[in-house]
Amino acid sequence: GDLLVQGNNLTDGVLRINGTLVDASRTTVRDNEIRTVVPLNATSGRVTVTVFNDLTAISTDSLKVVAQPLVA
């Protein structure tokens, strides 16, 4: 699935889901939003955005990752 993070000054932001770095090739970063595809190996947990290499914002709630059903 897709994930949208909105805010300010997100340019060059690095997004992680429960510590898992999202794929930069599947992520669009703008000053006011980051759009990405949740990695298949992501697990439920907090979303973090790091800007300027040392400022990190952490979501107050956890993102719940649910695996897609497998159809055989």
Side-chain angles (χ1 to χ4, degrees), residues 11-50:
T11 303
D12 297 326
V14 176
L15 184 69
R16 288 182 172 80
I17 302 171
N18 200 27
T20 300
L21 186 63
V22 299
D23 184 351
S25 68
R26 302 183 81 188
T27 303
T28 303
V29 180
R30 294 193 175 103
D31 186 56
N32 62 346
E33 70 179 30
I34 299 174
R35 290 181 183 267
T36 193
V37 175
V38 176
L40 293 176
N41 64 335
T43 56
S44 298
R46 297 192 185 253
V47 176
T48 62
V49 177
T50 302

Side-chain angles (χ1 to χ4, degrees), residues 43-60:
T43 56
S44 298
R46 297 192 185 253
V47 176
T48 62
V49 177
T50 302
V51 293
F52 308 120
N53 294 321
D54 63 352
L55 298 174
T56 301
I58 303 170
S59 64
T60 55

